[in-house]
Amino acid sequence: MAHSALTARALTRDFRGFRAVDAVDLEVADGSVHALVGPNGAGKTTLFNLLTGFLTPTAGRIEVGGRDITGLAPEKIARLGVARSFQITSLFGQLTCREHVELALAGDLGWKFWRSDKLLHRHRDQAMSLLDQVGLAEHAESTADSLAYGRKRALELALALALDPKVLLLDEPTAGMGVEDVDRTVDLIGRVRDGRTVVMVEHNMSVVGALADQVTVLQAGKVLVEGAYAQVRDDERVISAYLGEAHVAD
Amino acid sequence: MTTDVLPEVGRPARARAKRFARPALLAAGLIVAVWLPNGIYTGLAVDLLCWALFAVSVDLLLGYAGLLSFGHAAYWGSSAYATGLLAVHLGLPFPLAVLGGALTAALIAIPVGFLAVKRVGIYFAMVTLAFAQMIYFIANEWRSVTGGENGMQSVPRTLGSADLSDNYYFYYAALPIVLGGLWLAWRIVHSPFGRVLVAIRDNPARARALGYPVHRYKLAAFVLSAFVAGLGGGLFALAHQFVSLDTLHWTTSGKAVIMVVLGGIGTLWGALFGSSFVVVLEDSLSQADFASPGLLTGGIFVLAVLLFRRGLWGSVAAFFRRR
Ligand SMILES: Nc1ncnc2c1ncn2[C@@H]1O[C@H](COP(=O)(O)OP(=O)(O)O)[C@@H](O)[C@H]1O
Ligand SMILES: [Mg+2]
């Protein structure tokens, strides 16, 4: 079996007595694309927040490449090569797309308070090539605030990619995108997955089907089913979990 | 409006105007700074320099890191005392005394900042205030060193054989230090570090996800800001040749915040403008024997905040940008 890039063991998180993530075990094989699906409120984003240090687990542990990272600060985990995007677009409004990516690429240059900020342009070419990859080349000089929704999502992706992560966590990368943008994003993830491990929360089943090697279904904080896409798709319990949600949505 | 009708003509002209606006402003500022003690009485001119540094230091935190320090008198005042001690006991040339004072302030800011940056918003302000009160208390009790309520008397200001007893000459001797401090603040704001600070201010979670240790950046900003405040406080001690407990009082912290908010948060020019405005206003009120100048400055503060959301300078700048 392939080596595990990211492992969660009995990961649990309570919010004032409410158990949002309940003893989740997760093994993400090195180099795989692993999809995390499940109805709204299943605990997917909370799980991401635990894995990236934005929340501390109530119990359980997390390993990246065999190293225990439980309780590490988000910036430390990011520096260890685990990058994430946010479900709710999270950008620096006034900066341009290029400045966003330059900032993501800057790393330790950021300490230099005695140098001109033109120093960040050192990464201009690399920033432009990342923007090109996500289809934002023409918008390099637009502020994030002025971008349409789908483009903001693309910029989210560019920022995560700028860290050149070993493990890439994407929280609903295609949510709210038009068909064309979804296709481009699937294409992009398909390209950047080389040499990386990708964990993605995704509702769009055709995206999951196109990309995922392995699928974990969460429901009410627990792992409901895990397996290959075709296998999970036809699982009775998964169908009823999603039907249940549709029922509630009515 | 005209730019929309005649874009080819309007845009380059406006861009050119913008490109020249900054150097022109800088030149005007320098001319005023060089001329100042010839136009107003020299004691006031020196005070303007000191408070300019103090306000800029507070704006560095408030405007660029989004941190409201309500205890910055701790750094202004502790540098004033340290500068005074270095001048009295070691007889250091005054620039070295000021540098020593500012470094002392920065040193004190390390543990305070370390604890404060773990809090945000009003809680950050309260931690900074609490430590400032503690330092005030220590200075008050430690009479043998600080002179307690009597303050520290007859602080000398020396520079080789130069006679600096006249404020007119002291002003010009101090000006390079002040310009150096202002340059440092400008450099910080327009550095990679400054960019990261603004990013942290606008979206701390995202900055952390990009691998930036948010607490450490804020701490660095806090210490740098204390250093700049310390430059101002040290010069203030020398300017008056006396250090009073007031330099550590919470109302002194408040005054610096008022200067920044009044001038406009997040522009260094605004801090300069706000500090000059308040210093000159308080001076003219005390000249006029006005019973409670604090009341009037407070009233003007409230009005300015209500009328000019971006502060006096911010509103003027926005007005010109719109044209
Ligand atoms: N910070 C929080 N405080 C309290 N409850 C939370 C918090 N974050 C998430 N929850 C709850 O945890 C559950 C899982 O949420 P979330 O992880 O966002 O689900 P998903 O991403 O799968 O839609 C939800 O019921 C949500 O209300
Ligand atoms: Mg979610």
Side-chain angles (χ1 to χ4, degrees), chain A residues 15 18 20-21 38-47 55 87 171-172 201 203 218:
Chain A
F15 293 114
F18 171 72
V21 171
N40 276 322
K44 305 179 297 292
T45 296
T46 305
L47 182 57
L55 287 171
Q87 176 178 0
D171 199 351
E172 306 203 11
V201 172
H203 284 301
L218 278 186

Side-chain angles (χ1 to χ4, degrees), chain A residues 118-213:
Chain A
K118 293 199 175 68
L119 200 61
L120 296 172
H121 297 333
R122 180 182 288 188
H123 297 299
R124 174 175 267 165
D125 291 346
Q126 207 185 340
M128 290 306 294
S129 109
L130 276 162
L131 288 172
D132 193 37
Q133 276 189 49
V134 299
L136 282 178
E138 288 129 70
H139 302 276
E141 303 305 325
S142 314
T143 64
D145 274 346
S146 69
L147 295 178
Y149 181 81
R151 302 216 159 97
K152 285 184 179 162
R153 302 298 302 160
L155 184 54
E156 273 277 328
L157 205 55
L159 290 185
L161 285 175
L163 301 182
D164 193 17
K166 292 197 285 278
V167 181
L168 184 59
L169 302 174
L170 304 173
D171 199 351
E172 306 203 11
T174 67
M177 280 188 179
V179 182
E180 205 176 303
D181 285 337
V182 171
D183 286 347
R184 185 176 39 224
T185 304
V186 169
D187 206 50
L188 175 67
I189 296 171
R191 271 183 286 128
V192 301
R193 64 165 294 180
D194 271 345
R196 297 198 168 88
T197 306
V198 179
V199 186
M200 56 191 293
V201 172
E202 185 55 64
H203 284 301
N204 185 330
M205 282 306 143
S206 68
V207 173
V208 173
L211 289 168
D213 303 306

Side-chain angles (χ1 to χ4, degrees), chain B residues 134-181:
Chain B
M134 199 175 88
I135 289 167
Y136 178 88
F137 178 78
I138 293 171
N140 191 19
E141 293 295 311
W142 203 4
R143 289 198 178 77
S144 57
V145 172
T146 63
E149 279 162 14
N150 298 325
M152 192 184 289
Q153 313 278 347
S154 24
V155 175
R157 54 192 194 206
T158 56
L159 186 64
S161 56
D163 176 15
L164 295 177
S165 56
D166 188 332
N167 266 334
Y168 184 83
Y169 297 107
F170 181 66
Y171 178 93
Y172 288 107
L175 189 57
I177 297 179
V178 175
L179 293 179

